[in-house]
Amino acid sequence: MKRTLVIWTVVGGLSSIFASCGSGSKLQQNANYGGTRAPLQAVAFEELPLGSITPAGWLRTMLETQRDGATGHLDELYPVVMGPRNGWLGGDGDQWERGPYWIDGLLPLAYILQDSALIAKTTPWIEWALASQQEDGYFGPKTDYGPEPGLQRNNCRDWWPKMVMLKVLMQYHSATGDERVIDFMTRYFHYQLANLDQYPLDYWSFWGRFRGGDNMMAVYWLYNKTGDEALLELGRKLYAQTEPYTEMFLAREKLTRVGTIHAVNLAQGIKTPIVYWQADPQPKYLKALDCALDDLRRYHGNPTGMFSGDEAIHGNVPTQGIELCTIVEYMFSLETMYRITGDPKFAELLERIAYNALPAQVDDEFLTRQYFQQVNQVELTLGIRNFDVNHDGLDCCFGLLTGYPCCTSNMHQGWPKFTQNLWYATPENGVAVTQYAPSEVRMKVADGVGIRICEQTCYPFGDKVRFRIDSMDRAARFPFALRIPSWSEETQLLLNGQPITCPVGEERLAVIEREWQAGDELEIRFSLRIRLSTWEENARSVERGPLVFAMKVPSHVRRVENTRNPVYQGAWYYEHTAAAPWNYALIQCPDEELDTRYMACVDPEKAAAERPWSEETAPITIRTRAVRVPSWKSYNGMAGPLPYSIMYGLDTAEEAEIELIPYGCTTLRITEFPMSGQHSAE
């Protein structure tokens, strides 16, 4: 008889997890991968060297599609910016954020795939950046140029683009161990320390003030390498000059309103309190993040885990836009915050975004993308919509440059950095799997024992994940930790085919510590059940496991030549218009009937396929009955305002069966549905 591991636990947030730590606490340090240097607080997990984790299955195909698509060929597709004139290659062209943005995704992709051609593409950018350093420590472009259509050629000394290049160099060092990076960053940070009083982060532009947390993260990374105490002083100075996110989040005033902060700035800046907590371990920084996540979910959140931002934060209405840059930057912030703290809410939110919002916004060939996606998205055409910012009415259309080209440059980091954060080393010289995807890892455990572990799974489409130790220098005792998502109410663990039990605490980790040897297998089986979540106007969304489901809306697709502004928006774009009705309401039913009223069907072949993220290849379908709502109509190229659930006197038309598929597989869709049923007053 199988024993079931029941792991439902209420997590009290960051402040509760660290309540017993105190300001002087220190986690154990990993002996194989360095660690944190005092007085910084030890992190919950150690990142592995870039290239240690190899994707497999659909994830490898996703990264190879990036290689063959825009990520691997952006210098050819977007030569006016990414070509040899770029200021980060020494040219007189674009010299602000776009070049570093591209390399921030291209470089981890290149080393994860161990692709020599991609590595060769990154090399000139690395070498030019290193060679550009001046005697005083400054690096980067140093000459401003006049305006030229489609380029950002001025403001060369702005702190902000250099923060992106610092991220690139940290990844490059992780992959290669090139010690030039250490000396280079040391000299640059001493330059910053000498100049920030006269030229603070917002001297050349406000972007540096909002994104100073990225700069501070690099400073602490270097401190852990060198122990240079001047870096701790620089960290304090950077925090003082960065937007006061801690106070903002604790005040609970700015995030409760619309239009108060740029969404990408927020997605990047949200990690600032956690990054600084390493140097100043006060509970207020942890509490601030609890407040921020609660307010974003309540006032701006949607089922995919994202918050609205078109470009400023813009409420819960499911037709507000979500910028692609916000998605990939929020993912990186969540990866950073989870690695530092071990708080499971960050990992679970990261999983939701990665497996829902991210794949929906880029086409299947990784060539075109939307600037803004919408949760309820029924028409992608030229037109001005109710966004905070409109760019010639093309923000929702798929294209290479439609909307604004920052996302063309920045979208590449999403999947590679997610891959890099699937596996970690633990402080006890063990291994942790905190995100599930087909992959393998080569790393050191115990007292330097080399190990290779293969992860076989169809996750997030399947409910099973199997780990096999394919090779190991010798048998060794170490902990193997697995994150247990909160949605899996009954989870089974099997070791070499035999059920085992394992306690799970607030960190939501099942930790199996034993002597492991080559050939050992560990399997985890999640329980997948239909859930309905509640959103704007009491609308409902359908969820199962880590996936959010949306009604697939067939579309007519038309390629449009852009003769109005091709320099800024690209030479062409795609329009999508609905080819079938979309205005359906779900039918009310008791919770205990959800699994029978929402019939989920998993196609094993599609779940194991290399390209599951499209309407045609969607591995899971959910069928349910719904009713048309004639009064719910299109408005200004969007699904109109949601009917309230449950509305007294709502007129409905014919009942029909509708098909839901994973959100990440859709183009046009309805995700937040009104509900038809018995009004509370009846």
Side-chain angles (χ1 to χ4, degrees):
M1 180 173 133
K2 290 185 178 178
R3 290 174 288 172
T4 299
L5 174 65
V6 181
I7 47 78
W8 179 260
T9 306
V10 177
V11 178
L14 287 169
S15 52
S16 69
I17 286 180
F18 286 92
S20 62
C21 291
S23 61
S25 69
K26 292 288 183 291
L27 295 175
Q28 183 177 335
Q29 300 283 340
N30 186 286
N32 297 310
Y33 295 100
T36 307
R37 191 185 295 264
L40 297 184
Q41 294 291 291
V43 298
F45 303 106
E46 290 291 343
E47 188 175 4
L48 299 174
L50 185 60
S52 302
I53 301 166
T54 303
W58 69 262
L59 182 58
R60 183 170 190 88
T61 301
M62 183 68 77
L63 296 185
E64 290 176 343
T65 301
Q66 284 195 232
R67 176 199 64 194
D68 299 336
T71 309
H73 297 276
L74 201 59
D75 50 342
E76 304 159 47
L77 297 167
Y78 195 22
V80 67
V81 168
M82 302 305 179
R85 285 188 62 200
N86 191 282
W88 287 93
L89 293 173
D92 66 346
D94 198 284
Q95 59 184 355
W96 206 50
E97 65 183 7
R98 295 178 198 170
Y101 264 162
W102 176 39
I103 306 304
D104 191 35
L106 178 64
L107 188 139
L109 177 71
Y111 283 99
I112 287 171
L113 293 180
Q114 293 295 302
D115 187 290
S116 58
L118 293 188
I119 292 172
K121 282 200 175 191
T122 69
T123 300
W125 298 78
I126 298 296
E127 293 300 327
W128 188 89
L130 292 174
S132 73
Q133 190 160 49
Q134 299 177 32
E135 189 66 28
D136 62 359
Y138 175 87
F139 80 97
K142 59 180 186 294
T143 303
D144 283 341
Y145 298 96
E148 183 175 329
L151 300 181
Q152 296 169 310
R153 305 173 74 216
N154 63 342
N155 227 4
C156 69
R157 301 191 77 87
D158 190 6
W159 299 109
W160 154 236
K162 296 170 180 58
M163 299 179 196
V164 186
M165 190 53 74
L166 291 172
K167 290 165 60 184
V168 172
L169 291 171
M170 289 162 59
Q171 295 172 97
Y172 170 71
H173 182 273
S174 175
T176 67
D178 190 334
E179 287 301 308
R180 293 180 299 166
V181 172
I182 303 300
D183 178 66
F184 174 92
M185 290 177 67
T186 298
R187 294 172 61 199
Y188 175 66
F189 288 146
H190 279 265
Y191 166 84
Q192 278 199 302
L193 193 56
N195 285 273
L196 277 172
D197 287 340
Q198 184 177 0
Y199 306 106
L201 289 180
D202 59 0
Y203 182 85
W204 284 287
S205 79
F206 64 85
W207 302 103
R209 182 180 85 245
F210 281 98
R211 301 173 178 186
D214 283 26
N215 200 150
M216 188 166 37
M217 178 185 64
V219 168
Y220 292 150
W221 177 87
L222 184 63
Y223 175 77
N224 285 328
K225 303 287 185 187
T226 68
D228 181 356
E229 293 190 359
L231 298 174
L232 299 177
E233 180 185 351
L234 178 58
R236 291 188 290 269
K237 190 178 292 290
L238 289 167
Y239 184 76
Q241 292 189 9
T242 300
E243 186 73 7
Y245 290 105
T246 302
E247 292 73 22
M248 178 198 304
F249 298 157
L250 290 173
R252 311 198 82 156
E253 187 267 338
K254 216 165 192 178
L255 300 191
T256 62
R257 296 183 290 120
V258 302
T260 56
I261 186 170
H262 187 272
V264 182
N265 283 342
L266 177 58
Q268 289 186 256
I270 197 169
K271 63 179 171 287
T272 303
I274 298 300
V275 173
Y276 192 60
W277 173 85
Q278 296 173 96
D280 184 23
Q282 297 185 53
K284 67 177 182 179
Y285 304 112
L286 310 176
K287 183 179 179 182
L289 264 294
D290 287 341
C291 294
L293 293 189
D294 287 346
D295 288 343
L296 285 175
R297 164 57 167 86
R298 181 180 305 175
Y299 297 102
H300 308 281
N302 65 66
T304 66
M306 283 304 303
F307 52 88
S308 67
D310 53 24
E311 292 180 352
I313 55 176
H314 206 160
N316 292 108
V317 175
T319 52
Q320 295 309 144
I322 302 164
E323 186 180 336
L324 182 52
C325 279
T326 310
I327 292 173
V328 295
E329 293 292 357
Y330 197 25
M331 287 177 61
F332 179 68
S333 287
L334 290 165
E335 289 157 359
T336 302
M337 294 188 294
Y338 181 62
R339 181 177 54 80
I340 293 171
T341 67
D343 189 298
K345 69 171 64 174
F346 297 138
E348 194 146 319
L349 187 54
L350 170 64
E351 173 183 76
R352 180 177 284 254
I353 294 168
Y355 287 151
N356 295 284
L358 180 61
Q361 203 154 345
V362 185
D363 74 8
D364 296 338
E365 303 303 322
F366 216 88
L367 285 169
T368 66
R369 86 293 177 274
Q370 294 176 283
Y371 188 61
F372 295 146
Q373 68 167 268
Q374 299 165 295
V375 172
N376 283 359
Q377 183 167 277
V378 298
E379 182 179 315
L380 309 179
T381 56
L382 174 67
I384 303 299
R385 290 169 172 81
N386 187 36
F387 299 149
D388 169 57
V389 173
N390 283 271
H391 299 93
D392 301 307
L394 287 172
D395 296 275
C396 288
C397 295
F398 278 87
L400 181 65
L401 300 178
T402 46
Y404 198 73
C406 58
C407 291
T408 303
S409 310
N410 195 21
M411 64 182 180
H412 314 280
Q413 66 171 306
W415 286 117
K417 291 184 182 178
F418 182 73
T419 302
Q420 176 65 9
N421 285 274
L422 296 173
W423 301 76
Y424 292 120
T426 70
E428 301 81 10
N429 301 325
V431 58
V433 185
T434 62
Q435 301 293 340
Y436 298 101
S439 61
E440 73 170 36
V441 65
R442 290 177 171 85
M443 60 181 294
K444 294 184 183 299
V445 295
D447 56 346
V449 176
I451 190 171
R452 180 164 67 94
I453 308 173
C454 178
E455 178 180 357
Q456 296 177 318
T457 184
C458 297
Y459 197 91
F461 308 106
D463 61 351
K464 297 181 181 64
V465 185
R466 180 179 294 110
F467 302 94
R468 176 181 171 83
I469 299 179
D470 280 349
S471 63
M472 197 171 177
D473 291 346
R474 56 177 171 79
R477 184 179 184 87
F478 64 89
F480 197 133
L482 304 169
R483 181 180 64 87
I484 309 298
S486 65
W487 48 258
S488 183
E489 297 181 2
E490 296 180 346
T491 304
Q492 297 177 359
L493 287 174
L494 292 91
L495 177 60
N496 294 326
Q498 298 301 311
I500 61 172
T501 59
C502 184
V504 176
E506 285 191 327
E507 297 87 352
R508 298 205 65 81
L509 294 175
V511 182
I512 303 96
E513 183 166 3
R514 65 189 294 271
E515 182 171 285
W516 299 87
Q517 59 186 356
D520 279 343
E521 291 190 356
L522 181 63
E523 183 174 313
I524 185 168
R525 299 177 181 176
F526 300 111
S527 60
L528 303 176
R529 292 176 179 169
I530 298 292
R531 311 183 305 277
L532 297 185
S533 55
T534 303
W535 301 92
E536 174 78 3
E537 296 288 1
N538 277 332
R540 303 299 198 275
S541 287
V542 180
E543 303 177 18
R544 181 177 181 269
L547 297 176
V548 175
F549 285 76
M551 186 175 75
K552 178 175 67 174
V553 179
S555 65
H556 297 298
V557 184
R558 184 171 75 103
R559 177 175 164 134
V560 180
E561 299 301 316
N562 181 18
T563 59
R564 299 168 65 236
N565 49 10
V567 171
Y568 293 99
Q569 299 283 346
W572 47 265
Y573 58 89
Y574 288 101
E575 291 190 333
H576 295 250
T577 53
W582 51 263
N583 53 342
Y584 283 93
L586 302 177
I587 299 173
Q588 185 182 30
C589 74
D591 288 348
E592 58 268 22
E593 296 181 13
L594 288 176
D595 286 328
T596 56
R597 297 285 288 272
Y598 292 83
M599 299 299 297
C601 178
V602 180
D603 185 321
E605 290 187 5
K606 289 183 176 180
E610 294 182 344
R611 289 179 175 264
W613 296 105
S614 72
E615 291 183 359
E616 295 76 19
T617 62
I620 307 173
T621 58
I622 295 177
R623 297 184 182 277
T624 191
R625 304 295 293 180
V627 292
R628 288 280 302 279
V629 182
S631 59
W632 187 21
K633 298 179 180 180
S634 178
Y635 169 75
N636 198 27
M638 305 181 294
L642 280 165
Y644 180 75
S645 296
I646 293 174
M647 182 187 292
Y648 181 82
L650 177 66
D651 288 330
T652 58
E654 69 274 12
E655 182 177 316
E657 184 178 74
I658 62 172
E659 180 182 353
L660 311 177
I661 61 175
Y663 181 101
C665 299
T666 63
T667 301
L668 300 186
R669 57 183 166 260
I670 294 294
T671 313
E672 295 185 24
F673 293 86
M675 182 75 75
S676 174
Q678 185 176 3
H679 189 269
S680 58
E682 294 177 358

